[in-house]
Amino acid sequence: MGRPPCCDKMGVKKGPWTPEEDIMLVSFVQEHGPGNWRTVPTHTGLRRCSKSCRLRWTNYLRPGIKRGSFTDQEEKMIIQLQALLGNKWAAIASYLPERTDNDIKNYWNTHLKKKLKKLEASDLYSNDGHCLSSLNSTSRGQWERTLQADINTAKQALKNALSLDKSSPISEYSTVTDVKPINIGCYPHIKKEGKMSTSTYASSAENIAKLLKQWTRSDSTNNSEHSKASSSTQLSCNNNNNAMAEYSSSFESFEPSNSDQYSQAATPEATGKFHGESKREVDDDEVPLSVMLESWLFDENDDLLI
DNA sequence: AACGGCTTCAACCGCAGAGGG
DNA sequence: CCCCTCTGCGGTTGAAGCCGT
């Protein structure tokens, strides 16, 4: 009756992922690229359902994920986009390429919902406790105007993003609002090299990128150039993103997938590049990726810019 | 120190849509 | 078309950590 389970439930492990499992999964993606999740358990020996593997990759392991607290700008964008799009977390996430839809959804449910509720409550009630929900209320009017302005801004951003073929949503968004670029601005080298022309997918992550930074230490000369080049732009980023820029500088040759949907990393182009990158790294006779992964995954003190 | 309630977020579940045969 | 598989998405859950008493 109904759909068959996505995988054989017998012997399938559930719950939190272990570092070992992460290593196995990342190794698989390094080798085969993201996609073909069905084959992951058989190829890697992971006792995980394919869906679980895909989720682990997209929500946690894939490059370009920014972890830690949300910035005010990100928060503002989420509020605006949620007002405009509703609970379309994937669509909202496409405007915040460093954040997963799951992260945004969680953040909305745990932080922003309450925040807005509080805000609304404080705006709707005057000091003497009278509800100001009447249409003539000044504060409510202001609140509504503010909200409307935010929605209009978001609409404008969406309109622009949709009207420009294959352009970066983030970039477009940033051009039509007074919100500074929250991600791409920290990766000037990406724009410079034109590798992100069809992508909004931030090419760095605190997790794997950090790992790869050490792994690609041999490129440090070029990287330092990029670090210098990016330093001015970093000024427009918050502190968290400064570190991101640093990571990105060592990640220049990594080709991110099309960020419109991070799942599109499974496209042959993106996959091939990711794959190719990993091959190049291996050929450099550096520390094996798996070793680096291990050190990263097991290093409890190596906090990730939270 | 111990306990219980609250919060957070990674992970799971189930459905829907896309696409290939 | 129809069926099947794979993937994406949004809602929900539950373990772990946090915090107040």
Side-chain angles (χ1 to χ4, degrees):
Chain A
M1 177 83 183
R3 288 173 60 84
C6 66
C7 53
D8 183 7
K9 298 285 183 187
M10 295 294 290
V12 172
K13 190 184 169 194
K14 288 166 70 173
W17 280 65
T18 65
E20 292 92 339
E21 288 175 315
D22 282 341
I23 291 168
M24 290 164 85
L25 181 57
V26 171
S27 297
F28 174 86
V29 176
Q30 282 280 320
E31 202 176 329
H32 300 93
N36 292 320
W37 298 110
R38 193 85 171 178
T39 67
V40 175
T42 49
H43 270 87
T44 61
L46 277 169
R47 298 169 71 85
R48 292 278 182 174
C49 134
S50 57
K51 204 172 181 176
S52 180
C53 295
R54 178 173 56 82
L55 240 58
R56 181 64 179 172
W57 172 259
T58 56
N59 286 336
Y60 196 84
L61 295 173
R62 81 178 158 96
I65 293 179
K66 177 178 165 187
R67 313 206 70 78
S69 54
F70 282 67
T71 65
D72 288 344
Q73 290 169 354
E74 286 174 310
E75 203 170 273
K76 192 179 173 186
M77 277 186 80
I78 293 169
I79 291 169
Q80 288 175 342
L81 290 166
Q82 203 279 340
L84 176 64
L85 302 169
N87 294 356
K88 302 293 178 190
W89 306 118
I92 293 170
S94 69
Y95 289 84
L96 296 160
E98 290 181 324
R99 302 290 188 180
T100 68
D101 53 354
N102 206 34
D103 272 347
I104 293 170
K105 181 172 59 184
N106 280 334
Y107 191 66
W108 174 265
N109 287 330
T110 57
H111 293 93
L112 296 181
K113 247 184 183 174
K114 290 176 200 165
K115 212 170 184 177
L116 286 178
K117 224 173 187 176
K118 261 187 189 173
L119 208 74
E120 193 174 350
S122 65
D123 278 347
L124 290 177
Y125 289 87
S126 66
N127 289 336
D128 59 5
H130 287 133
C131 180
L132 296 178
S133 59
S134 68
L135 292 173
N136 294 328
S137 159
T138 307
S139 64
R140 180 176 173 81
Q142 284 175 343
W143 179 77
E144 284 178 340
R145 277 195 294 277
T146 305
L147 181 64
Q148 189 59 49
D150 283 350
I151 291 172
N152 287 339
T153 302
K155 277 183 179 173
Q156 182 69 35
L158 186 65
K159 187 182 169 187
N160 279 274
L162 291 173
S163 66
L164 292 169
D165 187 30
K166 289 187 175 181
S167 55
S168 161
I170 278 292
S171 303
E172 298 311 340
Y173 188 85
S174 64
T175 63
V176 296
T177 68
D178 56 355
V179 178
K180 292 172 186 170
I182 59 168
N183 308 314
I184 304 304
C186 297
Y187 308 110
H189 58 288
I190 293 170
K191 272 192 173 175
K192 188 175 73 181
E193 294 178 3
K195 288 182 178 179
M196 292 288 282
S197 60
T198 62
S199 175
T200 61
Y201 193 168
S203 65
S204 297
E206 288 96 337
N207 45 23
I208 292 177
K210 184 176 182 179
L211 177 67
L212 290 174
K213 179 186 177 183
Q214 298 169 334
W215 199 35
T216 58
R217 208 172 288 153
S218 61
D219 292 338
S220 58
T221 309
N222 287 339
N223 293 341
S224 63
E225 294 295 320
H226 286 301
S227 293
K228 283 179 194 169
S230 62
S231 62
S232 60
T233 318
Q234 285 175 20
L235 295 174
S236 67
C237 304
N238 64 23
N239 293 335
N240 286 344
N241 287 345
N242 286 342
M244 287 293 292
E246 182 189 342
Y247 289 139
S248 69
S249 69
S250 66
F251 217 41
E252 60 178 281
S253 57
F254 177 76
E255 284 286 335
S257 63
N258 188 330
S259 71
D260 188 33
Q261 296 294 329
Y262 48 72
S263 60
Q264 290 178 12
T267 60
E269 183 188 356
T271 300
K273 283 169 182 172
F274 186 72
H275 190 185
E277 174 68 9
S278 74
K279 265 193 169 179
R280 187 191 68 77
E281 300 296 346
V282 170
D283 290 346
D284 282 349
D285 197 26
E286 294 290 333
V287 181
L289 176 60
S290 58
V291 174
M292 296 298 297
L293 278 167
E294 271 178 49
S295 63
W296 165 60
L297 289 165
F298 285 113
D299 190 354
E300 294 288 330
N301 299 323
D302 197 2
D303 286 332
L304 300 175
L305 303 169
I306 296 173

